[in-house]
């Protein structure tokens, strides 16, 4: 009995080793799923699951004041809507993201065009303009706080007494300029990569056809940069909606909450132990990002294909 | 090329670099060498009295810099290694297999590029798992967050590697693991350099997620320490210490960049812009 079992099991391998393997689809043998599973498990466990939980906890009274968690419906959303923080956070974050993306890309593109040719001089200054990327956003924030403080370096050089970080209207713009400053080096690198990808004979052809530098830029380079623009604008817009460090270090959300973006609000409210309320804001951030990201990616992709 | 542009361009570059990068860095450097009394009002003057050594020693002692440095290393290094190895394995499968399930898994795994991590419920989940306030918890959060970046870059890169290289090894009888370790991973070197720099940079600088997951205390990383030093600023006026801290915290990242500098560009070119 045992003998036959062993023999039947061994039979296929006796008939030819790859047969049992050969029945499986090729990909399953050559690129087995288990290479991807650890990554999928970690990503699901520590990224997707918390995001799914984030659709439940905003509807509870989870806080540091209760031992257990009860369902409360829309109470948290009502609270943040009634005290005005909801709309303010949405508006502030969207303005921040838009301006930060404009500055980051504008600075990056100008730098890339200035430093396009591969000379030793240009390579050195590319590294110089990349330095701010290497300094942490928190440190960047403190550097600019010291520069822009009413007693700080800028006022002392200009001989003025301007409260750069004290305006409820303009401070938000200044903070986004700092954000653009910090990330311009990365945008520059990506635009440089895009510029490098433009075939030389195409520029040559434009030159022979009599196009000047402006015409060449708008008719050849700029359209050819579309993939770099897509990548840069998307990452800048979405990334800056998740901003925290620069704002916390320069203004802490002030003056009068005029720079209080989503993450600053969450940080402050979480510190007060109002976890469910912070989680409600986190859910709103998620929805706002999705609402911005999907049309943005679809639109920019379409633009790339048109050109 | 017009002569204006020929001489104007380098002049403009020098001016921009001096104003935009030179001035802030100068401020950091001189302030970190000033005694407290001179640093109260941060300006661009040279220190009248130089005391960089004393400031850096103070930052080391009061800012618990060594502990912070060690804590940062203990969470950043394992996170980066996990992000690279797990990401490469997944990217390999995603790049080579074609089916609806694979595209769905790939789309899900790179969704982290756009979606914000739900930081509040991460804390909740870590508490339930007993990982809140621990290094493994922090490593898990960083790995989950940055996996999308590495998978995105690596999948694009692997698609450009000819399949024949793998097939040749397979003819010689190499198993998938062998092919992965001996052929795919070595070929990924440029994109691994890019991903290492980017993820190290993000994790090394992160203070937001570290706040929620680690909090302060014994396991505080360098940015958390810097935040504490700077928050004490309000009543201590210690710009000289803050900037000494900023210098020490930034130097490792500058070193990482200098080592991998050439590869970061090729990695970005192949991954992002194609």
């Amino acid at each position: 009995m045992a003998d036959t079992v062993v023999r039947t099991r061994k039979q296929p391998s006796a008939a030819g080793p790859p047969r049992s393997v050969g029945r499986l689809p090729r990909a399953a043998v050559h690129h087995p799923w288990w290479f991807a599973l650890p990554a999928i498990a970690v990503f699901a466990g520590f990224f997707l699951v918390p995001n799914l939980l984030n659709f439940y906890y905003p509807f509870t009274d989870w806080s540091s004041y209760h031992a257990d968690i009860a369902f409360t419906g829309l109470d948290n959303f009502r609270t943040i809507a009634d005290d005005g923080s909801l709309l303010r956070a949405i508006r502030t974050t969207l303005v921040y993201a838009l301006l930060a993306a404009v500055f980051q890309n504008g600075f990056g593109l100008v730098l890339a065009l200035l430093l396009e040719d591969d000379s030793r001089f240009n390579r050195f200054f590319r590294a110089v303009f990349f330095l701010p990327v290497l300094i942490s956003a928190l440190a960047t924030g403190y550097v600019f706080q010291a520069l822009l403080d009413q007693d700080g370096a800028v006022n002392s050089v200009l001989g003025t007494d301007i409260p750069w970080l004290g305006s409820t209207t303009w401070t938000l713009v200044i903070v986004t300029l700092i954000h653009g400053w910090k990330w311009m080096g990365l945008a520059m690198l990506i635009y440089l990569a895009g510029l490098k990808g433009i075939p030389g004979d195409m520029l040559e052809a434009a030159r022979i056809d009599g196009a000047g530098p402006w015409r060449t830029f708008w008719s050849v380079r700029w359209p050819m940069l579309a993939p770099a623009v897509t990548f840069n604008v998307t990452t800048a817009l979405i990334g800056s909606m998740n901003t925290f460090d620069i704002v916390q270090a320069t203004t802490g959300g002030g003056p009068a909450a005029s720079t209080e973006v989503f993450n600053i609000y969450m940080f402050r409210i979480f510190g007060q132990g109002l976890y469910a309320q912070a989680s409600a804001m986190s859910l709103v951030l998620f929805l706002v990002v999705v609402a911005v990201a999907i049309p943005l990616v679809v639109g920019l992709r379409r633009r790339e294909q048109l050109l | 090329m017009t002569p204006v542009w020929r001489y104007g361009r380098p002049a403009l570059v020098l001016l921009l670099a001096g104003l935009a990068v030179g001035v802030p860095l100068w401020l950091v450097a001189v302030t970190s060498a000033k005694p407290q009394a001179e640093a109260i009002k941060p300006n661009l003057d040279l220190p009248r009295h130089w005391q960089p050594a004393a400031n850096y020693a103070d930052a080391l002692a009061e800012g618990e810099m060594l502990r912070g440095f060690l804590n940062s290393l203990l969470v950043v290094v394992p996170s980066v290694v996990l992000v690279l190895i797990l990401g490469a394995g997944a990217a390999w499968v995603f790049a080579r297999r074609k089916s609806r399930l694979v595209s769905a898994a790939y789309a899900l795994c790179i969704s982290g590029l756009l979606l914000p991590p739900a930081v509040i419920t991460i804390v909740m989940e870590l508490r339930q798992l007993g990982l809140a306030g621990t290094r493994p918890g922090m490593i898990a959060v960083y790995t989950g967050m940055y996996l999308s970046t590495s998978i995105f870059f690596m999948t694009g890169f692997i698609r450009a590697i000819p399949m024949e290289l793998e097939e040749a090894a397979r003819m010689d009888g190499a198993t998938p693991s062998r092919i992965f370790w001996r052929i795919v991973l070595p070929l990924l070197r440029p994109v691994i350099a890019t991903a290492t720099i980017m993820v190290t940079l993000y994790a090394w600088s992160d203070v937001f997620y570290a706040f929620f997951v680690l909090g302060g205390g014994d396991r505080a990383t360098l940015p958390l320490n810097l935040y504490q030093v700077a928050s004490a600023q309000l009543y201590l006026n210690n710009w000289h210490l803050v900037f000494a801290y900023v210098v020490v915290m930034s130097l490792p990242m500058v070193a990482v960049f200098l080592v991998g500098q050439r590869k970061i560009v090729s990695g970005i070119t192949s991954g992002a812009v194609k």
Side-chain angles (χ1 to χ4, degrees):
Chain A
M1 195 49 184
D3 198 23
T4 46
V5 172
V6 170
R7 206 178 295 154
T8 45
R9 265 196 200 152
K10 276 193 170 168
Q11 242 166 9
S13 72
R19 259 196 68 187
S20 61
V21 170
R23 266 190 228 118
L24 291 160
R26 248 182 49 182
V29 185
H30 300 328
H31 306 100
W33 267 110
W34 59 263
F35 276 93
L37 286 180
I40 294 173
V42 172
F43 183 75
F46 295 96
F47 193 92
L48 290 178
V49 168
N51 263 325
L52 289 175
L53 290 175
N54 207 25
F55 279 85
Y56 171 68
Y57 285 106
F59 303 97
T60 66
D61 63 354
W62 175 35
S63 77
S64 58
Y65 308 111
H66 305 266
D68 37 38
I69 294 171
F71 189 79
T72 57
L74 290 171
D75 282 4
N76 291 310
F77 293 94
R78 222 166 275 142
T79 312
I80 56 176
D82 287 346
D83 69 13
S85 42
L86 179 67
L87 277 179
R88 193 183 56 217
I90 293 178
R91 198 188 63 102
T92 312
T93 308
L94 287 178
V95 171
Y96 186 100
L98 195 71
L99 291 177
V102 168
F103 292 137
Q104 182 178 331
N105 279 284
F107 298 162
L109 184 59
V110 168
L111 290 176
L113 290 170
L114 277 175
L115 302 171
E116 187 184 351
D117 301 322
D118 265 318
S119 64
R120 192 171 288 184
F121 177 88
N122 284 357
R123 271 201 298 271
F124 175 77
F125 280 98
R126 282 176 203 166
V128 168
F129 286 109
F130 197 77
L131 273 176
V133 178
L134 301 171
I135 301 170
S136 83
L138 192 72
T140 305
Y142 293 131
V143 173
F144 277 90
Q145 203 198 328
L147 280 169
L148 299 173
D149 199 77
Q150 207 155 359
D151 288 333
V154 170
N155 277 338
S156 100
V157 168
L158 298 177
T160 49
D161 196 26
I162 302 166
W164 298 98
L165 298 172
S167 154
T168 48
T169 332
W170 295 107
T171 300
L172 183 61
V173 180
I174 291 175
V175 178
T176 58
L177 273 167
I178 302 171
H179 187 110
W181 179 86
K182 194 220 174 308
W183 290 108
M184 65 187 177
L186 194 60
M188 171 192 73
L189 271 196
I190 292 161
Y191 281 124
L192 278 171
L195 287 171
K196 226 175 226 151
I198 301 175
D201 44 0
M202 207 178 233
L203 296 171
E204 184 101 344
R207 204 169 51 84
I208 290 168
D209 288 346
W214 281 111
R215 189 65 213 267
T216 316
F217 177 74
W218 284 115
S219 305
V220 182
R221 290 192 156 150
W222 178 244
M224 291 293 286
L225 277 179
V229 175
T230 304
F231 184 83
N232 262 340
V233 171
T234 315
T235 48
L237 260 181
I238 306 298
S240 54
M241 290 173 82
N242 238 335
T243 186
F244 172 77
D245 316 26
I246 292 178
V247 189
Q248 179 68 29
T250 47
T251 67
S258 64
T259 59
E260 192 169 87
V261 292
F262 280 113
N263 279 348
I264 298 275
Y265 177 91
M266 278 182 233
F267 176 67
R268 185 166 63 83
I269 293 296
F270 188 88
Q272 295 169 11
L274 300 168
Y275 306 142
Q277 213 164 300
S279 184
M281 202 54 116
S282 164
L283 178 59
V284 178
L285 170 66
F286 181 91
L287 297 175
V288 171
V289 168
V290 169
V292 172
I294 290 177
L296 184 74
V297 172
V298 171
L300 286 171
R301 282 272 166 216
R302 192 170 299 156
R303 180 176 156 268
E304 267 177 51
Q305 277 152 14
L306 282 178
L307 291 162
Chain B
M1 194 158 287
T2 56
V4 177
W5 183 241
R6 190 155 176 193
Y7 298 104
R9 191 193 60 87
L12 186 61
V13 168
L14 280 171
L15 181 76
L16 280 178
L19 276 182
V21 184
V23 169
L25 293 189
W26 172 263
L27 174 83
V28 172
V30 292
T31 313
S32 75
K34 283 178 186 176
Q36 184 170 14
E38 282 183 54
I40 285 177
K41 288 189 177 183
N43 55 32
L44 302 177
D45 302 345
L46 275 173
R48 268 174 307 233
H49 172 78
W50 289 81
Q51 53 162 51
N55 286 348
Y56 285 86
D58 262 10
L60 262 175
E62 286 178 36
E64 314 250 19
M65 199 183 273
L66 272 182
R67 196 190 63 188
F69 192 83
L70 201 66
N71 283 336
S72 277
L73 280 183
L74 283 174
V75 296
V76 172
V77 172
S79 305
V80 172
V81 171
L82 280 173
V83 162
L84 293 175
I85 293 187
L86 301 189
W92 189 41
V93 175
F94 293 152
R96 294 301 194 210
R97 293 184 69 152
K98 282 179 197 72
S99 76
R100 270 210 198 137
L101 188 64
V102 172
S103 344
Y106 175 67
L108 207 64
C109 281
I110 64 162
S111 65
L113 284 176
L114 296 180
L115 301 179
V119 63
I120 314 288
T121 43
I122 285 175
V123 176
M124 178 70 168
E125 191 189 314
L126 291 177
R127 278 185 193 164
Q128 282 163 347
L129 294 172
L131 291 174
T134 68
R135 289 192 197 100
M138 192 74 251
I139 294 167
V141 170
Y142 283 150
T143 311
M145 252 163 53
Y146 301 130
L147 260 177
S148 298
T149 315
S150 80
I151 290 179
F152 174 72
F153 276 98
M154 289 177 176
T155 307
F157 193 89
I158 295 177
R159 282 190 183 134
I161 300 176
M163 193 71 157
E164 283 74 20
L165 286 173
E166 287 181 34
E167 267 157 15
R170 202 171 296 128
M171 300 295 258
D172 295 341
T175 58
S177 313
R178 213 177 149 75
I179 293 177
F180 178 73
W181 287 102
R182 302 297 290 273
I183 298 182
V184 179
L185 268 190
L187 284 173
L188 282 179
R189 231 180 289 153
V191 74
I192 283 180
T194 315
T196 308
I197 292 174
M198 297 308 295
V199 176
T200 310
L201 197 61
Y202 290 143
W204 187 264
S205 318
D206 169 66
V207 68
F208 186 63
Y209 301 97
F211 260 132
F212 287 94
V213 175
L214 290 173
D218 289 348
R219 294 190 187 81
T221 53
L222 278 176
L224 283 176
N225 280 354
L226 171 62
Y227 182 77
Q228 261 140 22
V229 172
S231 305
Q233 159 80 13
L234 290 175
Y235 47 95
L236 288 177
N237 268 315
N238 49 7
W239 279 120
H240 57 307
L241 291 185
V242 170
F243 286 142
Y245 218 98
V246 168
V247 171
V248 174
M249 211 175 115
S250 310
L251 286 180
M253 285 307 99
V254 176
V256 167
F257 174 73
L258 288 179
V259 170
Q261 191 196 4
R262 255 183 301 148
K263 287 193 176 125
I264 188 175
V265 178
S266 64
I268 283 181
T269 320
S270 55
V273 197
K274 279 187 273 274

